[in-house]
Amino acid sequence: MFSQRRIQLFFLMFAVGISLFFALRFLFLLNNFFNLSVQAPAKVSQWEIEEIGNRWAVRAIYSAEYQGKVWLGATLLKDQLFLNEEIAFRALQDLSKKNWVAWINPSNPAYSSLEKTFPLNLLIRALVSISVLIYFYVFRKWFNNKFLIS
């Protein structure tokens, strides 16, 4: 059977894995957020509606001029997910009337996006998972001192 120490170690390792997953994803997206530092006017040439799971999103295919070259890009507008295709189509009509700005990575202009959002959701998940990790570690120390060593 499993001993109490193995169960504690399992929960601790599980919490470490989840914490690392969210922290590394957050750091990757944070790096992308800061690398997209240059703005350039973008001309959207094509709009598409794409199903993501049970939601619908709008994809924009665009071009932007930076350093005398025209760079092509595509962005799936993830900040706006819709419940059905009809609502997404209505939103697409409104989005197509807007003037767009592309965020460009100056060290790699082939990487650009029409959206630049701080990964707040992942930051919260990383902090919560790290808090759970600390809780399991402190609880394990307290449990071992209180019940196993006495």
Side-chain angles (χ1 to χ4, degrees):
M1 233 35 211
F2 293 110
S3 69
Q4 288 181 348
R5 283 193 182 256
R6 285 190 180 174
I7 292 172
Q8 292 172 10
L9 188 61
F10 170 76
F11 280 119
L12 192 62
M13 292 298 111
F14 186 70
V16 166
I18 290 174
S19 298
L20 278 174
F21 174 76
F22 285 127
L24 291 175
R25 262 187 82 195
F26 169 73
L27 291 175
F28 175 76
L29 290 177
L30 185 66
N31 183 43
N32 289 345
F33 176 79
F34 285 119
N35 283 336
L36 295 173
S37 58
V38 176
Q39 291 183 341
K43 182 181 178 193
V44 178
S45 58
Q46 184 178 347
W47 293 96
E48 300 173 352
I49 297 175
E50 185 175 317
E51 187 174 10
I52 302 175
N54 61 351
R55 306 270 176 161
W56 296 84
V58 175
R59 178 183 297 278
I61 299 171
Y62 61 92
S63 60
E65 187 175 337
Y66 177 68
Q67 294 181 339
K69 289 185 178 180
V70 176
W71 299 92
L72 299 176
T75 298
L76 185 67
L77 303 175
K78 293 181 182 176
D79 284 348
Q80 299 181 14
L81 295 177
F82 305 98
L83 294 176
N84 61 43
E85 190 174 9
E86 183 181 337
I87 296 172
F89 184 72
R90 287 184 197 160
L92 183 146
Q93 290 173 334
D94 293 337
L95 292 171
S96 65
K97 296 174 186 172
K98 289 177 61 175
N99 292 328
W100 288 92
V101 173
W103 290 91
I104 299 173
N105 181 347
S107 61
N108 180 13
Y111 179 69
S112 63
S113 179
L114 294 179
E115 289 182 326
K116 181 181 176 182
T117 56
F118 184 79
L120 180 63
N121 190 0
L122 277 176
L123 174 62
I124 292 169
R125 289 177 185 198
L127 291 176
V128 167
S129 63
I130 290 170
S131 300
V132 169
L133 173 65
I134 292 169
Y135 171 78
F136 277 134
Y137 183 75
V138 169
F139 179 74
R140 180 175 180 249
K141 290 285 189 190
W142 175 83
F143 185 83
N144 288 341
N145 289 338
K146 183 104 173 156
F147 295 108
L148 298 179
I149 295 178
S150 334

